[in-house]
Amino acid sequence: MIPLFLCFASLALQGCVTPGDGPQPNRVSTGQEIELGQQMAAEVEKEEKRLNNPAIQKYVSEIGQRIAKQADRQDVPYAFTVIDNPETINAFALPGGQMYIYTGLMKMCENEAQLASVMAHEIGHVAAYHHGEMITRQMNAELVQSILVGRSKSELGKITGQLMGAGVAMWFSRGQENESDTLGMEYLFRAGYKPEAMVDFMNKLAKYEQEKGGGGPQPRVLKLFASHPATTERIAHLEALLAKYPIELRNQNQNHFDRYKTNVLDQIK
Ligand SMILES: [Zn+2]
């Protein structure tokens, strides 16, 4: 198997960099980011099937907008689409704020707050300009421009595939993942959800990884968070973050078990 976390083979014009923490340069404008995201969304929708259930699409969209309203970045059109794929545990945001959520992930969540926690993490990547930073790191301005004007269709397909799949490890650095967890928990909390839902979901994921991932072939389905840092390391970070939120404030927030069961778990099998 070809290691996917080499730089994009043909895109690595600036060499393979493993960025450390701290702010990184971003030379992608918001307009370019949105345009690139729209082109990538078209690629995603060639590969994946939208869930044909308007009620669920609306429900998930409302969760997303509730969180997006709390984000530090408001100059991108946040949008949320559920993909009909119960075998794939995944969710990802494209540059410019469009997000895709797989039914496989939704089945794994026990309540609305857990789903919201994953979505909040993804919104964190968008809000902190991680896509622009990554593109700046991996591509020169000419290549970005040639993709935008449709002269590099194959490159567009390649980077979209990377973002959708296991190549996510090379999209975001450890520092960016930690930053998204920090921002995500804050947005989750401000949107009225219990921030511990983020820890609960990561624990669930760690357990699943252990059960399904030990020994035999790695589950192809588990694309979500197929990145550094390791799940256990992230749980430790999330638990430390959680301590910032006083218990009496957390207790006023919700998990929404019933609403999630009625709207999602009873509907998708
Ligand atoms: Zn992430």
Side-chain angles (χ1 to χ4, degrees):
M1 193 184 141
I2 300 158
L4 283 164
F5 32 125
L6 295 175
C7 291
F8 308 135
S10 59
L11 298 184
L13 300 171
Q14 301 176 354
C16 200
V17 181
T18 307
D21 296 358
Q24 295 161 28
N26 173 20
R27 285 185 289 275
V28 181
S29 72
T30 294
Q32 285 178 320
E33 201 191 317
I34 292 169
E35 170 66 28
L36 202 55
Q38 284 167 351
Q39 295 195 22
M40 290 170 77
E43 294 291 312
V44 171
E45 298 198 22
K46 268 191 233 163
E47 301 289 320
E48 305 284 13
K49 191 168 105 216
R50 266 172 187 261
L51 179 72
N52 183 18
N53 184 324
I56 293 183
Q57 294 286 2
K58 179 167 179 281
Y59 171 77
V60 171
S61 204
E62 283 168 0
I63 297 170
Q65 296 299 348
R66 200 171 295 136
I67 303 160
K69 222 184 275 174
Q70 305 301 327
D72 298 292
R73 186 176 183 195
Q74 293 296 331
D75 62 350
V76 288
Y78 292 101
F80 308 88
T81 304
V82 178
I83 298 288
D84 187 359
N85 186 336
E87 303 306 320
T88 299
I89 299 163
N90 199 15
F92 58 88
L94 294 177
Q98 294 206 56
M99 192 190 298
Y100 290 92
I101 304 103
Y102 289 67
T103 48
L105 168 73
M106 292 170 64
K107 282 198 320 189
M108 197 184 203
C109 296
E110 291 165 328
N111 57 46
E112 187 178 308
Q114 288 184 10
L115 178 65
S117 78
V118 178
M119 295 170 74
H121 171 93
E122 293 302 318
I123 288 173
H125 281 307
V126 176
Y129 297 87
H130 290 168
H131 298 86
E133 291 173 357
M134 182 275 157
I135 291 164
T136 302
R137 202 159 70 226
Q138 297 287 350
M139 299 179 210
N140 62 22
E142 268 168 61
L143 182 57
V144 173
Q145 201 49 40
S146 104
I147 291 173
L148 287 174
V149 299
R151 261 190 280 123
S152 297
K153 280 281 176 209
S154 62
E155 300 301 344
L156 180 70
K158 204 178 295 171
I159 60 171
T160 310
Q162 299 278 8
L163 190 55
M164 283 166 67
V168 77
M170 29 146 302
W171 265 80
F172 298 128
S173 68
R174 176 183 297 247
Q176 287 175 324
E177 291 303 339
N178 284 335
E179 187 176 22
S180 284
D181 279 340
T182 306
L183 293 173
M185 190 179 278
E186 179 65 21
Y187 302 160
L188 186 70
F189 175 74
R190 285 197 231 148
Y193 294 105
K194 286 193 189 295
E196 45 269 65
M198 200 175 240
V199 185
D200 295 343
F201 181 76
M202 285 304 286
N203 275 315
K204 212 172 152 66
L205 199 64
K207 198 165 154 249
Y208 182 88
E209 275 176 352
Q210 246 173 9
E211 284 167 4
K212 307 272 170 155
Q218 284 296 307
R220 276 185 57 244
V221 293
L222 195 62
K223 289 176 173 174
L224 186 73
F225 303 142
S227 64
H228 45 228
T231 313
T232 46
E233 194 184 320
R234 285 187 59 188
I235 291 170
H237 176 233
L238 289 170
E239 279 172 346
L241 288 174
L242 193 57
K244 287 195 313 186
Y245 299 92
I247 189 82
E248 56 281 11
L249 291 180
R250 282 193 250 153
N251 283 344
Q252 293 168 16
N253 282 13
Q254 303 296 321
N255 275 318
H256 290 303
F257 275 97
D258 294 347
R259 197 156 93 179
Y260 194 68
K261 185 174 183 299
T262 315
N263 285 286
V264 175
L265 296 177
D266 289 349
Q267 311 294 327
I268 54 173
K269 299 290 170 220

